[in-house]
Amino acid sequence: RSTITMSQITATFMALALCFAPAVGAAATLSARRPLRGKDTLASAQGKFELGLFTPAGSSGDRFYLGIWYKNIPGQTIIWVGNRVSPLSSVASAELRVSAEDGNLELVGPTGASASPAVVWSSNLPSSLSPGSKNMAEIRDNGNLVLVDGGNSSNVLWQSFDHPTDTQVPEAWVGENKLTGEYQALTSWRNAQDPAPGMFSDTLDPNGTSEIFFMWNRSYVYWRSGVWTGSFFARLPEAPKNFIYKSTYVETPAYRRVINVLYDNATMARHVLDLTGQLKMYVWMPTSQSWQVLWTAPMVSCDVYALCGTFGLCDQSGKLPCGCLPGFAPVSEWNWTLSDWSGGCHRSWPLTCAPNGSTTDGFLALPDVKLPDDSPAVGAAKSKLECESTCLKSCSCQAYAFSAGECTVWHGELRNLQRLYVDSDSPGSDLYLRLSERGLQDLRGSVDRKKMGRKLWLVLGIVLAGVAAVGASVILAWRIVLARRRRLTRMANVNGSSLAVYSYGDLRAATKNFSDRLGGGGFGSVYHGVLKQHKGDNSTHVQVAVKKLESLGWQGDKQFRTEVSTLGLIHHVNLVRLLGFC
């Protein structure tokens, strides 16, 4: 946690704005006579974007997709995919061309076990809208792939901006074509190596309002932007303070759209609806040669509905947000390694339920969880035991909860379970999960084995500690003290500055337990506070902003020290200095 002012937050990011100087050249095109073959690519006029075939990073390399990516940055950042559900199996005979028959833009190549080329993707224009084989296609400097009338280049017949995948770049849009009824919506990838449509999408309200919905399985709304006020979306009042781009809602008789326009076209930025179901805004930082997350919605990944699938448990404090409930295992271990948790978990041992209602099943208490909201059956009960008995009498009952004389039972699959903590906005409840007798035995055995293992290690540790207690303890303690002193000295005296080291209690008191939130970004929230500063015999109160970093993963400590060091180095007449950190 570092203590900084709001002016410094804005000015620091402005100081890191990208200066991108593209090469200037004429736009290349493809046509029926000039197709794009194999590994050939097509670049935009100023060399910012590139079109061609690619394989997803980390995949086996036997699936090829038509895509658009940034041309002149390290790695391959994909912004659009054509054949999301029909990958090519080889590039040897692949060809992107304008059809000589109907003028459509089409991708031809081998798929699966078939070596014979076939059309796997097409712009699918009706013949009445496609003048014919003289059509031409080009990739423009805003990342838009367009098919135009060869006799009139201003007549755009088809464009990729009307068919987004998971990414919205500046000047692109999400919205609705009122004339055709088609929606331009972002849809997440299925997993890190498969661009096929995943479980999460965003769209404008189908009822006709200007509100943006984030949806799970194209059916359940888990986040909404609020309606357009004329300047910003109602639930995003911080939007006018954005110094990188401006969001605008536009409605005409032909369409309604949300478009983002950069204040500086030299900046590279994009919005991505990623595998976690969160919309993330990225800006390219040339100093680190990486994409920096500046904004997310929803801010916490566990607020995404059913992120962890059926019988999964979302835990924001974990290295990964998703895990399985006790007594359950992932349906697909491989998909989970690719951050695709949508398949959820299944029971390691099935429940036992006889026709007469007899069973040996039992219950495992899960404390402090957000209860699932999937059509529970609710009724009065005199006691927890009566509520438990009600659940056991039904073979489909999976769990129950009992509170204040009210019994709630859940039948079928459990979704949207979340681990809650003491400082959560809403308190958690106790959920009693139904498990088979074998499942409960396995859990008890696992606990017993862990306890036995801990005892053995404890005995071994005592023996080893007795052998080298004095010498090792003194050396280790002295090294820890020296290392801590060096690190704090290095952080608190960056470039001659004198940063204060605050305690967490200081900052919690200054912010009234982090109660006045000013805004948020990709790695945490910013709160208003008042700190007492001492100068000699005098003390003054100064207003500050406290940035509370969250969800940084295993590199959190390193990233925190890098941020403090970077901010400590910035001295400018228009910037308020970093005061200190915790």
Side-chain angles (χ1 to χ4, degrees):
R1 300 170 181 86
S2 55
T3 307
I4 55 183
T5 65
M6 291 303 295
S7 297
Q8 185 178 12
I9 293 172
T10 302
T12 298
F13 282 121
M14 291 182 71
L16 294 176
L18 172 67
C19 180
F20 180 83
V24 177
T29 62
L30 63 87
S31 62
R33 294 185 178 182
R34 293 196 305 273
L36 199 66
R37 293 190 175 98
K39 295 183 179 180
D40 293 342
T41 61
L42 190 70
S44 61
Q46 295 184 341
K48 189 171 184 179
F49 290 97
E50 192 169 25
L51 169 74
L53 295 176
F54 75 97
T55 56
S59 64
S60 57
D62 58 354
R63 291 177 291 120
F64 298 88
Y65 299 89
L66 175 66
I68 299 172
W69 57 86
Y70 289 93
K71 178 175 173 58
N72 291 318
I73 63 173
Q76 194 176 52
T77 303
I78 306 297
I79 67 162
W80 180 82
V81 184
N83 54 324
R84 296 187 76 172
V85 296
S86 304
L88 297 175
S89 56
S90 170
V91 297
S93 58
E95 187 174 272
L96 179 65
R97 67 193 183 193
V98 172
S99 171
E101 297 178 0
D102 58 18
N104 268 296
L105 185 62
E106 60 184 23
L107 177 65
V108 178
T111 60
S114 174
S116 301
V119 176
V120 298
W121 174 86
S122 170
S123 55
N124 283 327
L125 284 173
S127 57
S128 60
L129 296 179
S130 181
S133 60
K134 292 183 179 180
N135 295 347
M136 297 186 300
E138 68 177 30
I139 174 73
R140 295 183 172 172
D141 282 314
N142 57 4
N144 192 13
L145 173 63
V146 296
L147 179 67
V148 299
D149 180 354
N152 179 12
S153 60
S154 63
N155 181 20
V156 176
L157 306 171
W158 178 94
Q159 55 189 329
S160 60
F161 278 5
D162 279 335
H163 306 273
T165 50
D166 70 327
T167 301
Q168 180 185 4
V169 294
E171 299 182 31
W173 52 80
V174 293
E176 179 196 13
N177 185 324
K178 293 182 178 180
L179 302 179
T180 64
E182 291 180 301
Y183 280 83
Q184 294 80 47
L186 302 184
T187 305
S188 63
W189 283 29
R190 180 176 295 168
N191 62 50
Q193 295 178 6
D194 187 351
M199 295 297 292
F200 306 107
S201 59
D202 77 346
T203 185
L204 280 180
D205 180 5
N207 294 319
T209 75
S210 58
E211 191 167 18
I212 302 173
F213 292 163
F214 288 6
M215 306 182 76
W216 169 81
N217 201 26
R218 294 155 190 83
S219 60
Y220 185 96
V221 177
Y222 62 87
W223 186 87
R224 49 202 308 167
S225 66
V227 297
W228 181 252
T229 66
S231 301
F232 54 86
F233 289 97
R235 295 187 62 187
L236 299 172
E238 302 162 19
K241 303 174 185 177
N242 191 318
F243 58 86
I244 292 177
Y245 67 89
K246 179 181 180 180
S247 291
T248 305
Y249 174 78
V250 181
E251 184 164 4
T252 72
Y255 60 79
R256 53 195 183 109
R257 294 174 177 171
V258 177
I259 303 176
N260 301 320
V261 180
L262 291 169
Y263 290 122
D264 182 356
N265 285 330
T267 304
M268 287 197 290
R270 59 195 172 99
H271 285 81
V272 180
L273 187 62
D274 75 1
L275 302 175
T276 66
Q278 294 171 293
L279 185 69
K280 296 181 179 180
M281 179 200 171
Y282 292 89
V283 172
W284 178 255
M285 295 296 181
T287 52
S288 61
Q289 291 288 285
S290 64
W291 291 98
Q292 173 71 48
V293 178
L294 293 189
W295 177 84
T296 62
M299 179 174 288
V300 179
S301 59
C302 285
D303 286 343
V304 175
Y305 179 78
L307 174 64
C308 303
T310 56
F311 299 109
L313 179 66
C314 194
D315 187 345
Q316 197 61 39
S317 68
K319 183 178 178 181
L320 293 175
C322 289
C324 288
L325 292 172
F328 289 76
V331 171
S332 171
E333 292 279 2
W334 174 247
N335 284 343
W336 279 52
T337 64
L338 299 176
S339 300
D340 175 15
W341 307 288
S342 61
C345 308
H346 62 87
R347 291 183 178 276
S348 300
W349 297 99
L351 298 177
T352 58
C353 195
N356 60 5
S358 63
T359 179
T360 57
D361 296 342
F363 292 90
L364 177 69
L366 300 177
D368 299 321
V369 297
K370 177 184 176 183
L371 298 178
D373 47 9
D374 293 65
S375 303
V378 180
K382 296 180 181 179
S383 65
K384 174 177 170 294
L385 187 61
E386 181 180 337
C387 186
E388 179 176 304
S389 177
T390 300
C391 184
L392 285 176
K393 289 177 181 177
S394 172
C395 293
S396 64
C397 182
Q398 306 291 327
Y400 78 89
F402 179 78
S403 177
E406 189 174 85
C407 176
T408 309
V409 297
W410 284 266
H411 298 271
E413 298 172 329
L414 301 180
R415 290 190 182 91
N416 208 38
L417 284 168
Q418 182 182 156
R419 175 80 69 192
L420 298 177
Y421 296 91
V422 176
D423 59 350
S424 299
D425 293 336
S426 57
S429 303
D430 291 344
L431 179 72
Y432 294 89
L433 178 66
R434 183 173 179 175
L435 294 174
S436 68
E437 183 179 24
R438 180 63 183 273
L440 290 170
Q441 289 175 351
D442 279 358
L443 289 177
R444 284 193 292 267
S446 176
V447 171
D448 291 342
R449 287 191 295 272
K450 288 181 180 178
K451 288 182 178 179
M452 180 61 71
R454 284 196 293 267
K455 289 180 180 179
L456 291 175
W457 280 109
L458 180 61
V459 172
L460 181 60
I462 292 174
V463 173
L464 293 176
V467 174
V470 178
S473 297
V474 171
I475 293 173
L476 181 61
W478 182 244
R479 285 182 176 177
I480 291 174
V481 170
L482 287 179
R484 181 172 179 80
R485 285 179 179 173
R486 281 196 298 267
R487 188 175 71 173
L488 290 178
T489 301
R490 196 163 54 243
M491 293 175 67
N493 295 282
V494 175
N495 212 25
S497 65
S498 55
L499 303 182
V501 180
Y502 296 97
S503 71
Y504 180 66
D506 292 337
L507 300 186
R508 186 162 61 180
T511 59
K512 296 181 180 179
N513 199 25
F514 302 99
S515 59
D516 187 2
R517 183 175 178 272
L518 299 175
F523 293 129
S525 301
V526 179
Y527 300 89
H528 172 262
V530 178
L531 272 177
K532 181 183 287 188
Q533 288 189 326
H534 299 279
K535 293 184 178 179
D537 296 331
N538 300 321
S539 62
T540 58
H541 291 82
V542 58
Q543 295 192 71
V544 297
V546 179
K547 183 176 182 182
K548 186 178 182 183
L549 302 183
E550 302 159 347
S551 307
L552 290 178
W554 65 275
Q555 286 188 319
D557 183 61
K558 179 181 178 182
Q559 290 176 343
F560 173 75
R561 283 186 275 124
T562 300
E563 176 164 339
V564 170
S565 299
T566 301
L567 295 178
L569 283 167
I570 299 175
H571 300 163
H572 193 277
V573 66
N574 291 331
L575 300 182
V576 180
R577 293 179 116 186
L578 176 67
L579 301 180
F581 59 90
C582 168

